[in-house]
Coordinates of all heavy atoms in Angstrom, one line a residue:
P522 N 30.3 -26.6 -17.5 CA 31.1 -25.3 -17.8 C 31.0 -24.3 -16.6 O 29.9 -24.0 -16.2 CB 30.6 -24.9 -19.1 CG 29.4 -25.6 -19.3 CD 29.2 -26.7 -18.3
C523 N 32.1 -23.6 -16.2 CA 32.0 -22.6 -15.3 C 32.3 -21.3 -16.0 O 33.3 -21.2 -16.8 CB 33.0 -22.8 -14.2 SG 32.7 -24.3 -13.2
F524 N 31.5 -20.3 -15.9 CA 31.6 -19.0 -16.7 C 32.2 -17.9 -15.8 O 31.9 -17.8 -14.6 CB 30.3 -18.6 -17.2 CG 29.7 -19.6 -18.2 CD1 28.8 -20.6 -17.7 CD2 30.0 -19.6 -19.5 CE1 28.2 -21.6 -18.6 CE2 29.5 -20.6 -20.4 CZ 28.6 -21.5 -20.0
D525 N 33.1 -17.1 -16.4 CA 33.6 -15.8 -15.7 C 32.5 -14.7 -15.9 O 31.5 -14.9 -16.5 CB 35.0 -15.5 -16.2 CG 35.0 -15.1 -17.7 OD1 33.9 -14.8 -18.2 OD2 36.1 -15.1 -18.3
A526 N 32.9 -13.5 -15.3 CA 32.0 -12.4 -15.3 C 31.6 -11.9 -16.8 O 30.5 -11.4 -16.9 CB 32.6 -11.2 -14.5
D527 N 32.4 -12.2 -17.7 CA 32.1 -11.8 -19.1 C 31.4 -12.9 -19.8 O 31.1 -12.7 -21.0 CB 33.5 -11.6 -19.9 CG 34.2 -10.4 -19.3 OD1 33.5 -9.5 -18.8 OD2 35.4 -10.4 -19.3
G528 N 31.0 -14.0 -19.1 CA 30.2 -15.0 -19.8 C 31.1 -16.0 -20.6 O 30.5 -16.8 -21.3
H529 N 32.4 -16.0 -20.4 CA 33.2 -16.8 -21.2 C 33.5 -18.1 -20.2 O 33.5 -18.0 -19.0 CB 34.6 -16.2 -21.5 CG 34.5 -15.1 -22.4 ND1 35.0 -13.9 -22.2 CD2 33.9 -15.1 -23.7 CE1 34.6 -13.1 -23.2 NE2 34.0 -13.8 -24.1
V530 N 33.6 -19.3 -20.8 CA 34.0 -20.5 -20.0 C 35.3 -20.3 -19.5 O 36.4 -20.2 -20.2 CB 34.0 -21.7 -21.0 CG1 34.4 -23.0 -20.2 CG2 32.5 -21.9 -21.5
S531 N 35.4 -20.3 -18.1 CA 36.7 -20.1 -17.4 C 37.4 -21.4 -17.2 O 38.6 -21.6 -17.3 CB 36.6 -19.3 -16.1 OG 35.6 -20.0 -15.2
H532 N 36.6 -22.4 -16.7 CA 37.2 -23.7 -16.6 C 36.1 -24.8 -16.7 O 34.9 -24.4 -16.6 CB 38.0 -23.8 -15.4 CG 37.2 -23.9 -14.1 ND1 36.8 -22.8 -13.5 CD2 36.8 -24.9 -13.3 CE1 36.1 -23.0 -12.3 NE2 36.1 -24.4 -12.3
M533 N 36.5 -25.9 -16.8 CA 35.5 -27.1 -16.9 C 35.5 -28.0 -15.7 O 36.6 -28.4 -15.3 CB 35.8 -27.9 -18.1 CG 35.6 -27.2 -19.4 SD 33.9 -27.1 -19.9 CE 33.9 -26.2 -21.4
D534 N 34.3 -28.3 -15.2 CA 34.3 -29.3 -14.2 C 33.6 -30.5 -14.8 O 33.0 -30.4 -15.9 CB 33.4 -28.8 -13.0 CG 34.2 -28.5 -11.8 OD1 35.5 -28.8 -11.8 OD2 33.7 -27.9 -10.8
V535 N 33.8 -31.6 -14.2 CA 33.2 -32.8 -14.7 C 32.3 -33.5 -13.8 O 32.6 -33.5 -12.6 CB 34.3 -33.8 -15.1 CG1 33.7 -35.2 -15.5 CG2 35.2 -33.3 -16.1
G536 N 31.1 -33.8 -14.2 CA 30.1 -34.4 -13.2 C 30.7 -35.7 -12.5 O 31.4 -36.4 -13.2
D537 N 30.4 -35.8 -11.3 CA 31.1 -36.8 -10.4 C 30.2 -37.9 -9.9 O 29.2 -37.6 -9.4 CB 31.8 -36.0 -9.2 CG 32.5 -37.0 -8.3 OD1 32.8 -38.1 -8.7 OD2 32.6 -36.5 -7.1
A538 N 30.5 -39.1 -10.2 CA 29.7 -40.2 -9.8 C 29.5 -40.3 -8.2 O 28.6 -40.8 -7.7 CB 30.4 -41.5 -10.2
G539 N 30.5 -39.7 -7.5 CA 30.5 -39.6 -6.0 C 29.3 -38.9 -5.5 O 28.9 -39.0 -4.3
A540 N 28.6 -38.1 -6.3 CA 27.5 -37.2 -5.9 C 26.3 -38.0 -5.5 O 25.5 -37.6 -4.7 CB 27.1 -36.3 -7.1
L541 N 26.2 -39.3 -6.0 CA 25.0 -40.1 -5.5 C 25.2 -40.5 -4.0 O 24.2 -40.2 -3.3 CB 24.9 -41.4 -6.4 CG 24.5 -41.2 -7.8 CD1 24.1 -42.5 -8.5 CD2 23.4 -40.2 -8.0
L542 N 26.3 -41.1 -3.6 CA 26.4 -41.4 -2.2 C 26.4 -40.2 -1.4 O 25.9 -40.2 -0.2 CB 27.7 -42.2 -1.9 CG 27.6 -43.8 -2.1 CD1 28.9 -44.4 -1.6 CD2 26.4 -44.3 -1.2
A543 N 27.1 -39.1 -1.9 CA 27.0 -37.9 -1.1 C 25.6 -37.4 -0.8 O 25.2 -36.9 0.3 CB 27.8 -36.8 -1.8
T544 N 24.7 -37.5 -1.9 CA 23.4 -37.1 -1.7 C 22.7 -38.0 -0.7 O 21.9 -37.5 0.2 CB 22.6 -37.1 -3.1 OG1 23.3 -36.2 -4.0 CG2 21.2 -36.7 -2.9
L545 N 22.8 -39.3 -0.8 CA 22.2 -40.2 0.1 C 22.7 -39.9 1.6 O 21.9 -39.8 2.5 CB 22.7 -41.7 -0.3 CG 21.9 -42.8 0.4 CD1 20.4 -42.7 0.1 CD2 22.5 -44.1 -0.1
A546 N 24.0 -39.7 1.8 CA 24.5 -39.4 3.1 C 24.0 -38.0 3.7 O 23.5 -37.9 4.8 CB 26.0 -39.3 3.1
E547 N 23.7 -37.0 2.7 CA 23.2 -35.8 3.2 C 21.8 -36.0 3.7 O 21.3 -35.5 4.7 CB 23.2 -34.8 2.0 CG 22.6 -33.4 2.4 CD 22.4 -32.4 1.3 OE1 23.1 -32.6 0.2 OE2 21.7 -31.5 1.4
L548 N 21.0 -36.8 2.9 CA 19.6 -37.1 3.3 C 19.5 -37.7 4.7 O 18.6 -37.4 5.6 CB 18.9 -37.9 2.2 CG 18.6 -37.1 1.0 CD1 18.3 -38.2 -0.3 CD2 17.3 -36.2 1.1
V549 N 20.3 -38.7 4.9 CA 20.3 -39.5 6.1 C 20.8 -38.5 7.3 O 20.1 -38.5 8.3 CB 21.2 -40.6 6.1 CG1 21.5 -41.2 7.5 CG2 20.7 -41.7 5.1
A550 N 21.8 -37.6 7.0 CA 22.3 -36.6 8.0 C 21.1 -35.6 8.3 O 21.0 -35.1 9.5 CB 23.5 -35.9 7.5
R551 N 20.2 -35.5 7.4 CA 19.1 -34.5 7.6 C 17.9 -35.2 8.2 O 16.8 -34.6 8.3 CB 18.7 -33.8 6.3 CG 19.7 -32.8 5.9 CD 19.6 -32.3 4.4 NE 18.4 -31.5 4.3 CZ 18.1 -30.9 3.1 NH1 18.9 -30.9 2.1 NH2 16.9 -30.2 3.0
G552 N 18.0 -36.5 8.6 CA 17.1 -37.2 9.4 C 16.1 -38.0 8.5 O 15.1 -38.6 9.1
V553 N 16.4 -38.2 7.3 CA 15.5 -39.0 6.5 C 16.0 -40.6 6.7 O 17.2 -40.8 6.6 CB 15.7 -38.8 5.0 CG1 14.8 -39.7 4.1 CG2 15.4 -37.3 4.7
P554 N 15.0 -41.5 7.1 CA 15.5 -42.8 7.2 C 16.1 -43.4 6.0 O 15.6 -43.1 4.8 CB 14.1 -43.5 7.6 CG 13.2 -42.5 8.0 CD 13.6 -41.2 7.3
L555 N 17.1 -44.1 6.1 CA 17.8 -44.7 5.0 C 16.9 -45.4 4.0 O 17.0 -45.2 2.8 CB 19.0 -45.6 5.4 CG 19.9 -46.3 4.3 CD1 20.5 -45.2 3.4 CD2 20.9 -47.1 5.0
E556 N 16.0 -46.2 4.5 CA 15.1 -47.0 3.7 C 14.1 -46.1 2.9 O 13.5 -46.6 2.0 CB 14.3 -48.0 4.7 CG 13.5 -47.4 5.6 CD 14.1 -47.3 7.0 OE1 15.4 -47.0 7.0 OE2 13.5 -47.3 8.1
R557 N 13.9 -44.9 3.4 CA 13.0 -43.9 2.6 C 13.7 -43.2 1.4 O 13.2 -43.0 0.4 CB 12.4 -42.9 3.6 CG 11.4 -42.1 3.0 CD 10.5 -41.5 4.1 NE 9.8 -40.3 3.7 CZ 8.6 -40.4 2.8 NH1 8.3 -41.5 2.3 NH2 8.1 -39.3 2.6
A558 N 15.1 -42.9 1.7 CA 15.9 -42.3 0.7 C 16.3 -43.2 -0.5 O 16.5 -42.9 -1.6 CB 17.1 -41.6 1.3
L559 N 16.6 -44.5 0.1 CA 17.4 -45.4 -0.8 C 16.6 -45.9 -2.2 O 17.3 -46.1 -3.2 CB 17.7 -46.7 0.1 CG 18.8 -47.6 -0.4 CD1 20.0 -46.9 -0.7 CD2 18.9 -48.7 0.7
P560 N 15.3 -46.1 -2.2 CA 14.7 -46.6 -3.4 C 15.0 -45.7 -4.6 O 15.2 -46.2 -5.8 CB 13.2 -46.5 -3.1 CG 13.1 -46.8 -1.6 CD 14.3 -46.0 -1.1
A561 N 15.2 -44.4 -4.5 CA 15.4 -43.5 -5.7 C 16.7 -43.8 -6.4 O 17.0 -43.5 -7.5 CB 15.3 -42.1 -5.3
F562 N 17.7 -44.5 -5.6 CA 18.9 -44.8 -6.1 C 19.2 -46.3 -6.5 O 20.1 -46.8 -7.1 CB 20.0 -44.5 -5.0 CG 20.1 -43.1 -4.5 CD1 19.2 -42.6 -3.5 CD2 21.0 -42.1 -5.1 CE1 19.2 -41.3 -3.1 CE2 21.0 -40.9 -4.6 CZ 20.1 -40.5 -3.6
T563 N 18.1 -47.1 -6.1 CA 18.2 -48.5 -6.3 C 17.0 -49.2 -6.9 O 16.9 -49.4 -8.1 CB 18.5 -49.2 -4.9 OG1 17.5 -48.8 -4.0 CG2 19.9 -48.8 -4.4
S564 N 15.9 -49.5 -6.0 CA 14.8 -50.2 -6.5 C 14.0 -49.4 -7.6 O 13.4 -50.0 -8.5 CB 13.9 -50.7 -5.4 OG 13.6 -49.7 -4.5
N565 N 13.9 -48.1 -7.5 CA 13.1 -47.4 -8.4 C 13.7 -47.4 -9.8 O 13.0 -47.7 -10.8 CB 12.9 -45.9 -8.0 CG 12.0 -45.7 -6.8 OD1 11.4 -46.6 -6.3 ND2 11.9 -44.5 -6.3
P566 N 15.0 -47.1 -10.0 CA 15.6 -47.3 -11.3 C 15.5 -48.6 -11.8 O 15.3 -48.9 -13.1 CB 17.0 -46.8 -11.2 CG 17.3 -46.6 -9.8 CD 16.0 -46.4 -9.1
A567 N 15.7 -49.6 -10.9 CA 15.6 -51.0 -11.4 C 14.2 -51.4 -11.9 O 14.1 -52.1 -13.0 CB 15.9 -52.0 -10.3
R568 N 13.2 -50.9 -11.3 CA 11.8 -51.0 -11.8 C 11.6 -50.4 -13.2 O 11.2 -51.0 -14.2 CB 10.8 -50.6 -10.8 CG 9.3 -50.7 -11.2 CD 8.5 -49.9 -10.3 NE 8.9 -48.5 -10.1 CZ 8.6 -47.5 -11.0 NH1 7.9 -47.8 -12.1 NH2 9.1 -46.3 -10.8
L569 N 12.0 -49.1 -13.2 CA 11.8 -48.4 -14.5 C 12.6 -49.0 -15.6 O 12.1 -49.0 -16.8 CB 12.1 -46.9 -14.3 CG 12.1 -46.0 -15.5 CD1 10.7 -45.8 -15.9 CD2 12.9 -44.7 -15.4
L570 N 13.8 -49.3 -15.4 CA 14.7 -49.9 -16.3 C 14.5 -51.3 -16.7 O 15.2 -51.9 -17.5 CB 16.2 -49.6 -16.0 CG 16.5 -48.1 -15.8 CD1 17.9 -47.9 -15.2 CD2 16.4 -47.4 -17.1
R571 N 13.6 -52.0 -15.9 CA 13.2 -53.4 -16.1 C 14.5 -54.2 -15.9 O 14.7 -55.2 -16.7 CB 12.5 -53.6 -17.5 CG 11.1 -53.0 -17.5 CD 10.4 -53.3 -18.8 NE 9.0 -52.8 -18.7 CZ 8.3 -52.4 -19.7 NH1 8.8 -52.5 -21.0 NH2 7.0 -52.0 -19.6
L572 N 15.3 -54.0 -15.0 CA 16.4 -54.7 -14.6 C 16.0 -55.6 -13.4 O 16.2 -55.1 -12.2 CB 17.6 -53.8 -14.4 CG 18.1 -52.9 -15.4 CD1 19.2 -52.0 -15.0 CD2 18.3 -53.7 -16.7
G573 N 15.4 -56.7 -13.6 CA 14.7 -57.5 -12.5 C 15.5 -58.0 -11.5 O 15.1 -58.3 -10.3
A574 N 16.9 -58.2 -11.7 CA 17.8 -58.8 -10.8 C 18.6 -57.7 -10.0 O 19.4 -58.0 -9.3 CB 18.8 -59.8 -11.4
K575 N 18.3 -56.4 -10.2 CA 19.0 -55.3 -9.7 C 18.2 -54.6 -8.7 O 16.9 -54.7 -8.6 CB 19.4 -54.3 -10.8 CG 20.2 -54.9 -12.0 CD 21.6 -55.1 -11.4 CE 22.4 -55.7 -12.7 NZ 23.7 -56.2 -12.2
G576 N 18.9 -53.8 -7.8 CA 18.2 -52.8 -7.0 C 17.6 -53.3 -5.7 O 17.0 -52.4 -5.0
R577 N 17.8 -54.5 -5.4 CA 17.2 -55.1 -4.2 C 18.1 -56.1 -3.6 O 18.9 -56.8 -4.4 CB 15.8 -55.7 -4.4 CG 14.8 -54.8 -5.0 CD 13.4 -55.4 -4.8 NE 13.1 -56.0 -3.6 CZ 12.8 -55.3 -2.4 NH1 12.6 -54.0 -2.5 NH2 12.7 -56.0 -1.3
I578 N 18.2 -56.3 -2.2 CA 18.9 -57.4 -1.7 C 18.0 -58.6 -1.3 O 17.1 -58.5 -0.4 CB 19.6 -56.9 -0.4 CG1 20.6 -55.8 -0.7 CG2 20.5 -58.0 0.2 CD1 21.4 -55.2 0.4
T579 N 18.0 -59.5 -2.1 CA 17.2 -60.7 -1.9 C 17.7 -61.9 -2.5 O 18.6 -61.8 -3.5 CB 15.7 -60.4 -2.6 OG1 14.8 -61.4 -2.2 CG2 15.8 -60.2 -4.1
V580 N 17.3 -63.0 -2.1 CA 18.0 -64.3 -2.7 C 17.6 -64.4 -4.2 O 16.4 -64.1 -4.6 CB 17.4 -65.6 -1.9 CG1 17.9 -66.8 -2.7 CG2 18.0 -65.5 -0.5
G581 N 18.6 -64.7 -5.1 CA 18.4 -64.7 -6.5 C 18.8 -63.4 -7.2 O 19.0 -63.5 -8.4
A582 N 18.9 -62.3 -6.4 CA 19.2 -61.1 -7.0 C 20.8 -61.1 -7.3 O 21.5 -61.9 -6.8 CB 18.9 -59.9 -6.2
D583 N 21.2 -60.2 -8.3 CA 22.6 -60.0 -8.6 C 23.3 -59.6 -7.3 O 22.8 -58.8 -6.5 CB 22.8 -59.0 -9.7 CG 22.4 -59.5 -11.1 OD1 22.1 -60.7 -11.1 OD2 22.3 -58.7 -12.0
A584 N 24.5 -60.1 -7.1 CA 25.3 -59.8 -6.0 C 26.1 -58.4 -6.1 O 27.3 -58.4 -6.2 CB 26.3 -61.0 -5.6
D585 N 25.2 -57.4 -6.2 CA 25.7 -56.0 -6.3 C 25.4 -55.3 -4.9 O 24.2 -55.0 -4.6 CB 25.1 -55.2 -7.4 CG 25.3 -55.9 -8.8 OD1 26.3 -56.4 -8.9 OD2 24.4 -55.6 -9.6
L586 N 26.5 -55.1 -4.2 CA 26.3 -54.7 -2.7 C 27.3 -53.6 -2.3 O 28.4 -53.7 -2.7 CB 26.4 -55.9 -1.9 CG 25.4 -57.1 -2.1 CD1 25.9 -58.4 -1.5 CD2 24.0 -56.8 -1.6
V587 N 26.8 -52.8 -1.4 CA 27.7 -51.7 -0.9 C 27.5 -51.7 0.6 O 26.4 -51.6 1.1 CB 27.3 -50.3 -1.5 CG1 28.2 -49.2 -0.9 CG2 27.4 -50.4 -3.0
A588 N 28.6 -51.8 1.3 CA 28.7 -51.6 2.8 C 29.1 -50.2 3.0 O 30.1 -49.7 2.5 CB 29.5 -52.6 3.5
L589 N 28.2 -49.4 3.8 CA 28.5 -48.0 4.1 C 29.3 -47.9 5.5 O 29.1 -48.7 6.4 CB 27.2 -47.3 4.3 CG 26.3 -47.3 3.1 CD1 24.9 -46.5 3.4 CD2 26.9 -46.7 1.9
D590 N 30.3 -46.9 5.5 CA 31.0 -46.5 6.6 C 30.1 -45.6 7.4 O 29.0 -45.2 7.0 CB 32.4 -46.1 6.5 CG 32.4 -44.8 5.7 OD1 31.4 -44.1 5.5 OD2 33.4 -44.4 5.1
E591 N 30.6 -45.2 8.6 CA 29.8 -44.2 9.5 C 29.4 -43.0 8.8 O 28.3 -42.5 8.8 CB 30.7 -43.8 10.7 CG 30.9 -44.9 11.7 CD 29.7 -45.3 12.5 OE1 29.0 -44.3 13.0 OE2 29.3 -46.5 12.5
A592 N 30.2 -42.5 7.9 CA 30.0 -41.2 7.1 C 29.0 -41.5 5.9 O 28.7 -40.5 5.3 CB 31.2 -40.5 6.7
G593 N 28.6 -42.7 5.6 CA 27.8 -43.1 4.5 C 28.6 -43.2 3.2 O 28.0 -43.2 2.1
M594 N 29.9 -43.3 3.3 CA 30.7 -43.6 2.1 C 30.9 -45.0 1.9 O 30.6 -45.8 2.8 CB 32.1 -42.8 2.2 CG 31.9 -41.3 2.2 SD 31.2 -40.6 0.7 CE 29.6 -40.1 1.3
A595 N 31.5 -45.4 0.7 CA 31.6 -47.0 0.4 C 32.8 -47.5 1.2 O 33.9 -47.2 1.0 CB 31.8 -47.1 -1.0
H596 N 32.4 -48.4 2.1 CA 33.5 -49.1 2.9 C 33.9 -50.4 2.2 O 35.0 -50.8 2.0 CB 32.9 -49.5 4.3 CG 34.0 -50.0 5.2 ND1 34.3 -51.4 5.3 CD2 34.8 -49.4 6.1 CE1 35.2 -51.6 6.3 NE2 35.5 -50.4 6.7
D597 N 32.9 -51.0 1.6 CA 33.1 -52.2 0.8 C 32.2 -52.2 -0.4 O 31.0 -51.8 -0.2 CB 32.9 -53.5 1.6 CG 33.6 -53.5 2.9 OD1 34.8 -53.9 2.8 OD2 33.0 -53.2 3.9
V598 N 32.6 -52.6 -1.6 CA 31.8 -52.6 -2.8 C 31.9 -54.0 -3.5 O 33.1 -54.3 -3.8 CB 32.0 -51.4 -3.7 CG1 31.2 -51.5 -5.0 CG2 31.8 -50.2 -3.0
I599 N 30.8 -54.6 -3.7 CA 30.8 -55.9 -4.4 C 30.1 -55.8 -5.7 O 28.8 -55.4 -5.6 CB 30.3 -57.1 -3.5 CG1 31.1 -57.2 -2.3 CG2 30.2 -58.4 -4.3 CD1 30.4 -58.1 -1.2
A600 N 30.6 -56.1 -6.9 CA 29.8 -56.0 -8.1 C 30.0 -57.4 -8.8 O 30.9 -57.9 -9.0 CB 30.5 -54.9 -9.0
G601 N 28.7 -57.9 -9.0 CA 28.6 -59.2 -9.6 C 29.4 -60.3 -8.7 O 29.9 -61.2 -9.3

Side-chain angles (χ1 to χ4, degrees):
C523 300
F524 296 96
D525 65 16
D527 296 328
H529 296 122
V530 173
S531 57
H532 71 280
M533 294 281 179
D534 255 351
V535 176
D537 177 19
L541 291 192
L542 268 189
T544 299
L545 192 60
E547 180 187 341
L548 286 160
V549 171
R551 287 167 67 172
V553 182
L555 180 57
E556 61 270 29
R557 188 155 160 74
L559 202 48
F562 302 82
T563 55
S564 53
N565 289 357
R568 178 192 51 80
L569 177 71
L570 299 171
R571 292 182 172 151
L572 302 176
K575 303 287 185 196
R577 300 191 49 78
I578 300 180
T579 185
V580 171
D583 287 350
D585 296 336
L586 301 161
V587 178
L589 299 176
D590 66 17
E591 288 290 310
M594 295 298 110
H596 189 270
D597 307 281
V598 178
I599 298 167

